[in-house]
Amino acid sequence: MLSTTLFAAVGATVGATVAATSHSLQDGGGAAAATSAAVPAPTFVRRDLVVDGQPVRTRCGSPLKNYILEVNGSGVVLGDFDGSGSVDLVVVSGSTIERAEAGEPGDAARLFLNDGAAHFGAAPEAFALTPGRWGMGGTAGDLDNDGHLDLVVTNWGADQVFLNAGGTGFRDATEGSGLNGKRWGTSAALLDHDLDGNLDLVVVNYLSFRRDEISSRESGECKWKGLPVMCGPEGLTAVHDQLYRGNGDGTFSDVTSEAGFRPENAGFGLGVTTLDYDGDGDTDVYVTNDSTPNFLWENQGDGTFLEVGFRRGVDLDSNGKEQAGMGIACGDVNEDGLPDLFVTNFSGENNALYQSRASKTGRAPRFSDRSHSAGVGGPSMQLLGWGTGMFDVELDGDLDLFVLNGHVYPQADSPGTDTTYAQPDQLFVNNGDGIFDERSLSSGPDLVSRGGAFADLDGDGDIDVVATQVEGAIQIHENTTANENRWIAFVLDVEGGNRDGLGARVEIAVGERRSAAEIRTSSGFQAAVPARAHFGLGRAERVDSVSVRLPDGRTRRFEGLAAGQVHRLVVPASAPDAANGATTGTEGGR
């Protein structure tokens, strides 16, 4: 159920960071909490995404993987595109080198509409998407501030913009959109970096690919563990990422250079997310790079960025070594009020958990690589991670995470490699202190997974996972964890631009415990999630208070909102100084 609440001021504003306590949501103080029994082990049931009797599959080159273009697979975008209140699914797909070189388009991205119970059907013809050269990933947001969810698809080739016509179909608005160049776009993120109310766009680019300039696996020039494999990314040319300022009408202006969003040396970009790492209210950007240092772009508050990955400790591993950064998850895993970063990496490298730690001098936080002490480093050494995300699997109040795995080399199945091409996907369950226990995400055969995203697909209040394979059907991992814990979720409806409140911080209080989340859509690898803050509550039947801080600095407080609902917080252009708004009913949401 989605309730609508007027965004009204109550009491004092909240600060940027509120320290967490050691109380659990199950046994926290106040009338909102109640003691709960032990929660059974988390369980997910995996199934193919089947539409019209056929599994939905993607394409990414040949099974032999002779070239690097053929190994990264494609991603997914989750959001409510028809205004029904349920989370729909866009599946991006690629092409083959032969089709691309013949000038033929690749596979079109496809929208599948959700009936509310995680049963997906093909969208009407009006939602058909124009094929690009070779689809990679994408993101979604209200680009023209009309209240409907629009779509960006990244490509090897021109990136694409599709505007939503009132929830009834898409219009291809790529021509004249201002997205320039034909690069290899991988992940993308939306944010309002300059606080003008219009959504801006970051497109992360990988490398320059021309088949006549890159040796094939068949040449035998590139080897891995003595086996001939595709070449790259080492020895190839990295391509700079791009920052586009949104004009509010679905078009963009390239401000990469004037905003300082261009380092001296480009990275092999694969993943991106947004966060306010330093708690100053504006939105920063984190980019993972393959075999080059990761970037942390600190928003300077004047429309420009400064790259601070090295000085904040999130560019390299704990040994000062570059890793093959793929996907990103972001959230507060140890409940100290600060966002932490999790990065998936190549086999033979551990996945990295960068935990934020506050500065005693009031300066911006630094991060420490706590991968091994947190229990996520060792279990990843023989696996190759891609899509990932943080959410509360058991609704007990702390953030867990999942990792989708699969090698880039089919040759990994050869004897003596100490790994395999298909690999198990992983679930890491938080013990409540930022230390994780490894589990399998779902039972069944190992997969060659790539992109993935998470949301409540079936409307039961817990979070499910969607995953792609480099070859194979799209997978739905349905959360079937049996417990009586409760949940609450929030979406924002902001008048005057940035309708979904991307970059806002939502903080709840249940007894003495505080939990916070940022509204973002960029997550994982080549993927996007709904703009929603979702919290597990243990046995609490309501939250004592909810505090929201918008990127423009406005802060508001609500009290006594019920569990078991998605609350829509309507933000007027000028929020009145009034008592807490009452729940007024239900309506569809983005």
Side-chain angles (χ1 to χ4, degrees), residues 287-372:
V287 176
T288 53
N289 293 313
D290 186 356
S291 306
T292 47
N294 301 325
F295 298 145
L296 177 58
W297 291 102
E298 182 184 284
N299 193 328
Q300 301 300 289
D302 58 1
T304 67
F305 287 87
L306 179 67
E307 204 287 297
V308 296
F310 172 74
R311 69 180 70 174
R312 302 301 176 218
V314 292
D315 60 334
L316 307 169
D317 70 5
S318 58
N319 297 314
K321 181 182 177 182
E322 299 165 348
Q323 293 183 293
M326 310 282 189
I328 311 173
C330 184
D332 183 4
V333 300
N334 57 350
E335 296 189 77
D336 63 354
L338 300 171
D340 307 304
L341 289 163
F342 177 79
V343 177
T344 58
N345 291 304
F346 203 80
S347 63
E349 302 172 344
N350 64 273
N351 293 339
L353 176 63
Y354 299 105
Q355 285 194 354
S356 185
R357 45 191 180 87
S359 169
K360 297 180 180 179
T361 62
R363 297 178 180 176
R366 282 186 52 84
F367 294 80
S368 297
D369 186 343
R370 300 297 302 273
S371 311
H372 291 286

Side-chain angles (χ1 to χ4, degrees), residues 247-259:
N247 299 321
D249 58 359
T251 68
F252 297 89
S253 301
D254 191 333
V255 295
T256 306
S257 295
E258 66 184 77

Side-chain angles (χ1 to χ4, degrees), residues 126-141:
F127 281 104
L129 298 164
T130 308
R133 188 183 189 190
W134 189 308
M136 293 290 168
T139 190

Side-chain angles (χ1 to χ4, degrees), residues 111-157:
L111 171 64
F112 299 98
L113 299 180
N114 188 350
D115 68 355
H119 302 134
F120 293 87
E125 184 64 26
F127 281 104
L129 298 164
T130 308
R133 188 183 189 190
W134 189 308
M136 293 290 168
T139 190
D142 188 358
L143 305 180
D144 51 6
N145 289 318
D146 67 350
H148 300 282
L149 197 61
D150 308 306
L151 177 68
V152 174
V153 175
T154 59
N155 281 273
W156 175 54

Side-chain angles (χ1 to χ4, degrees), residues 18 26 92 289 314 397 590:
V18 179
Q26 285 93 335
V92 182
N289 293 313
V314 292
R590 294 190 300 282

Side-chain angles (χ1 to χ4, degrees), residues 200-275:
D200 311 309
L201 173 68
V202 172
V203 175
V204 173
N205 295 309
Y206 194 35
L207 54 81
S208 176
F209 181 86
R210 288 176 55 97
R211 187 160 72 151
D212 58 358
E213 297 176 350
I214 298 176
S215 298
S216 166
R217 176 193 64 86
E218 296 170 316
S219 71
E221 293 185 16
C222 298
K223 288 186 168 58
W224 169 79
K225 297 190 176 183
L227 301 169
V229 295
M230 61 83 183
C231 295
E234 293 90 345
L236 304 182
T237 302
V239 175
H240 284 285
D241 305 326
Q242 294 161 285
L243 173 66
Y244 296 97
R245 184 182 63 235
N247 299 321
D249 58 359
T251 68
F252 297 89
S253 301
D254 191 333
V255 295
T256 306
S257 295
E258 66 184 77
F261 199 81
R262 188 180 177 92
E264 181 178 353
N265 297 312
F268 296 112
L270 287 176
V272 64
T273 198
T274 58
L275 73 161

Side-chain angles (χ1 to χ4, degrees), residues 514-578:
R514 305 293 184 268
S515 298
E518 293 184 37
I519 302 292
R520 67 171 64 88
T521 58
S522 52
S523 178
F525 169 72
Q526 296 186 163
V529 297
R532 180 172 296 189
H534 184 281
F535 299 91
L537 297 180
R539 299 301 300 277
E541 297 180 354
R542 61 179 174 84
V543 297
D544 297 329
S545 65
V546 180
S547 300
V548 180
R549 185 189 68 191
L550 293 178
D552 64 9
R554 283 179 287 170
T555 57
R556 296 295 184 269
R557 179 182 171 92
F558 305 85
E559 294 182 351
L561 298 183
Q565 297 182 36
V566 180
H567 294 269
R568 177 180 294 280
L569 306 181
V570 180
V571 186
S574 178
D577 289 330

